[in-house]
Amino acid sequence: MSKIQNKDKDLERVLHIVNVRLSQLSFSPLNKIETEIIKGIWGDRTYNNIALEHNYSNAYITNIAAPSLFKKLSCLVSIKIRKNNCKKLLEKYCLVLEEKPLFPAGAISLESRFYVKRHDPEEKIYAEMEKPGALVRIRAPQEMGKTSLMLRLVNRAKQLGYQTVYLDLHELDIEIFDTCNKFLRYFCATIVRELGLESKLDEYWDDDLGCKTSCNSYFQEYLLQSINSPLFLAIDEVDRVFEYPKIAKDFFSLLRLWHEKSKMNLVWQKLRLAISYSTEIHVPLQVKQSPFNAAFNVGLPVQLGYFSCQEVIELAKCYGFSWQIDGEEVNLLIKMVGGHPALVHLAIYHLSQENITLPELLKIGCTATGIYANHLSRHQENICQNPGLAIALHKVVSVNEPVLLEPSQAHQLKNMGLIKLHQNQAVISCQLYGDYFRQTFQALAS
């Protein structure tokens, strides 16, 4: 193959990867003139040459099309791209994406090509984010992709020109939760630090008025007044607060108040909130007693669910597999794990390592040596902490037809992702859980 052919092939590869990643991160793909600008850069052509060749004015290419393209590419690669470094940075970016995939664990980074967009919920959230005073509540069991989605919401907010702050409440030291006053002061101090503002916390904090009123004044009279663009505040793993009922009640009622204030106060319309939380069982706080449910039922609720067949195929494609919608692989995997994002991803990753077949992988999936052992043992631990849930789940896996459960137990098992409800009757959510817990309960009984 000639050098020219190799160069053309490399350019086609770069354009393909860039368009795939733009789509995954909810950018529009390269349009015709943007594609031609990149081709021109690869061929060391001037803007004037590109303009003449494609019937555009040089001024349009130089002042409008190229700057718009470079802004989009800069957001994609998280480095400022210009004409003189475009080729080098895009080639480097594509090389990184083509490296051997890492073991899937935790959130999927913005740079990863292995993120599958959840088209329906994500588009709803993106539209909501642009509304003054928006509030989005994202809920799902663990390992369903909440944090990966939150990272992309922050990235979208940056594209919109918003100020952004991302808080992961699981990173907080336990001492922060000693009192509501301490928690809210930390909350305010962290946000202003992330925004690069002077603290001024003591100027607005008044012990006689209380921490909620002080926090409210701090936001309204100082923080939001100090910024000229909307503030997108993403609070991840907010269920950490569930363990502290007094703090949870005050904190969630405060967030609700801010959302309500945005309907009549222009200052509060600057604040756009997104929070995520796990729906799994929380100890010692029972789900039905959660102050979250009582104090915070406003905004756009989003429940992250299982992958569809098409989304499984999209992820497999990221790993180089050409699965079909009616193919054996998709049907086997959906039947076993129900489309659970983390479990699907783990299976496809192991298949990509070419050391096991899908039937072999699924055959030992529910055993102590299978790839899902850690995931399953976590669920078993949670179930063992609540004998009532164990009895309820045993009922579900012991029969082949739907079972009527006590409502609170059905609610908790559903929130853990272990069952589905059809007309208030419970069935196991996927074959993996059914096989595993049948074996577990049999072992405990023997």
Side-chain angles (χ1 to χ4, degrees):
M1 187 178 291
S2 69
K3 289 184 178 180
I4 293 177
Q5 288 176 314
N6 276 327
K7 190 174 181 180
D8 289 344
K9 189 174 181 180
D10 288 343
L11 175 57
E12 289 176 10
R13 175 182 60 85
V14 168
L15 290 172
H16 172 72
I17 292 172
V18 166
N19 274 320
V20 168
R21 290 296 294 140
L22 286 171
S23 175
Q24 290 174 337
L25 295 176
S26 299
F27 289 97
S28 58
L30 298 172
N31 59 35
K32 181 180 177 182
I33 190 57
E34 289 172 337
T35 301
E36 294 304 331
I37 290 172
I38 292 178
K39 288 180 178 179
I41 291 171
W42 244 251
D44 296 320
R45 298 202 299 275
T46 66
Y47 286 159
N48 191 48
N49 293 147
I50 298 170
L52 289 172
E53 186 175 342
H54 299 284
N55 298 317
Y56 289 94
S57 70
N58 184 53
Y60 173 74
I61 299 292
T62 303
N63 300 321
I64 299 177
S68 174
L69 168 64
F70 296 146
K71 182 179 180 180
K72 181 191 295 187
L73 295 177
S74 297
C75 289
L76 180 68
V77 305
S78 300
I79 302 174
K80 189 169 184 178
I81 285 186
R82 300 179 299 275
K83 186 174 187 286
N84 61 357
N85 67 6
C86 180
K87 182 177 179 182
K88 179 180 178 181
L89 290 180
L90 286 185
E91 286 179 332
K92 182 179 179 181
Y93 176 74
C94 292
L95 281 173
V96 169
L97 289 181
E98 291 179 324
E99 289 177 359
K100 188 175 180 179
L102 298 175
F103 183 82
I108 300 174
S109 69
L110 288 175
E111 300 78 28
S112 174
R113 70 181 188 273
F114 300 107
Y115 179 77
V116 175
K117 181 179 178 182
R118 322 286 268 276
H119 293 278
D120 183 50
E122 289 190 35
E123 290 305 322
K124 286 181 180 177
I125 296 171
Y126 292 146
E128 191 72 15
M129 283 169 57
E130 298 191 36
K131 298 177 182 177
L135 190 156
V136 179
R137 297 181 284 122
I138 302 168
R139 64 196 297 266
Q142 293 182 38
E143 300 181 283
M144 292 291 286
K146 297 185 296 297
T147 298
S148 299
L149 175 56
M150 290 287 271
L151 295 178
R152 281 148 184 85
L153 299 185
V154 172
N155 191 59
R156 168 57 71 93
K158 290 178 180 177
Q159 296 166 24
L160 293 171
Y162 295 175
Q163 302 258 28
T164 62
V165 175
Y166 170 81
L167 297 178
D168 182 349
L169 296 193
H170 268 298
E171 295 179 353
L172 273 60
D173 294 334
I174 193 170
E175 292 80 9
I176 298 296
F177 297 96
D178 285 348
T179 64
C180 187
N181 184 71
K182 196 170 185 177
F183 175 78
L184 290 179
R185 282 181 68 94
Y186 168 87
F187 181 71
C188 292
T190 301
I191 293 171
V192 294
R193 186 180 69 243
E194 291 292 321
L195 294 174
L197 298 173
E198 186 180 352
S199 175
K200 295 188 178 182
L201 201 55
D202 291 331
E203 295 180 30
Y204 289 86
W205 220 261
D206 189 327
D207 292 336
D208 292 331
L209 293 176
C211 59
K212 281 179 63 178
T213 300
S214 297
C215 181
N216 185 72
S217 298
Y218 189 72
F219 263 75
Q220 180 168 326
E221 298 169 23
Y222 172 56
L223 195 155
L224 293 175
Q225 296 281 7
S226 301
I227 57 177
N228 297 319
S229 59
L231 167 61
F232 181 72
L233 176 55
I235 311 174
D236 203 5
E237 306 282 6
V238 78
D239 45 290
R240 173 79 187 279
V241 187
F242 289 7
E243 299 168 33
Y244 309 92
K246 178 62 171 69
I247 295 176
K249 184 177 180 180
D250 288 344
F251 182 54
F252 295 140
S253 64
L254 192 60
L255 298 183
R256 179 190 179 114
L257 173 66
W258 293 348
H259 176 64
E260 296 293 347
K261 281 191 170 194
S262 70
K263 298 174 182 177
M264 47 192 171
N265 189 314
L266 291 176
V267 172
W268 286 103
Q269 291 183 6
K270 290 183 182 179
L271 181 62
R272 320 290 164 92
L273 281 165
I275 67 168
S276 80
Y277 63 102
S278 172
T279 56
E280 293 195 23
I281 187 172
H282 301 282
V283 180
L285 192 64
Q286 294 295 320
V287 173
K288 64 181 180 180
Q289 296 172 327
S290 169
F292 187 91
N293 296 325
F296 200 22
N297 56 358
V298 294
L300 175 69
V302 176
Q303 174 80 43
L304 287 187
Y306 284 172
F307 278 166
S308 66
C309 288
Q310 187 57 50
E311 287 165 343
V312 172
I313 290 171
E314 287 181 28
L315 180 59
K317 190 180 296 182
C318 294
Y319 279 91
F321 295 111
S322 299
W323 290 1
Q324 302 299 316
I325 195 73
D326 56 351
E328 180 185 15
E329 299 92 348
V330 175
N331 291 328
L332 279 174
L333 198 50
I334 291 287
K335 181 181 178 182
M336 176 56 75
V337 301
H340 188 295
L343 304 185
V344 167
H345 200 157
L346 196 56
I348 296 176
Y349 167 80
H350 279 280
L351 292 177
S352 74
Q353 304 305 295
E354 300 180 345
N355 54 11
I356 193 170
T357 66
L358 184 58
E360 290 171 343
L361 183 150
L362 298 179
K363 185 177 181 181
I364 63 171
C366 65
T367 68
T369 58
I371 64 172
Y372 300 130
N374 290 337
H375 175 88
L376 294 169
S377 64
R378 175 174 62 78
H379 276 303
Q380 184 182 350
E381 265 185 54
N382 284 335
I383 289 296
C384 288
Q385 290 179 19
N386 191 320
L389 287 187
I391 293 171
L393 186 59
H394 184 264
K395 288 181 183 178
V396 175
V397 299
S398 298
V399 296
N400 293 322
E401 62 270 352
V403 176
L404 187 64
L405 300 177
E406 193 275 321
S408 67
Q409 293 175 342
H411 181 68
Q412 290 185 54
L413 289 173
K414 179 177 178 290
N415 282 345
M416 294 172 73
L418 294 176
I419 66 167
K420 296 177 181 177
L421 294 177
H422 297 292
Q423 297 180 343
N424 293 326
Q425 292 189 310
V427 295
I428 202 72
S429 60
C430 65
Q431 183 179 331
L432 177 71
Y433 295 150
D435 292 346
Y436 177 76
F437 280 104
R438 268 190 293 272
Q439 293 176 14
T440 299
F441 291 134
Q442 287 171 5
L444 291 173
S446 60

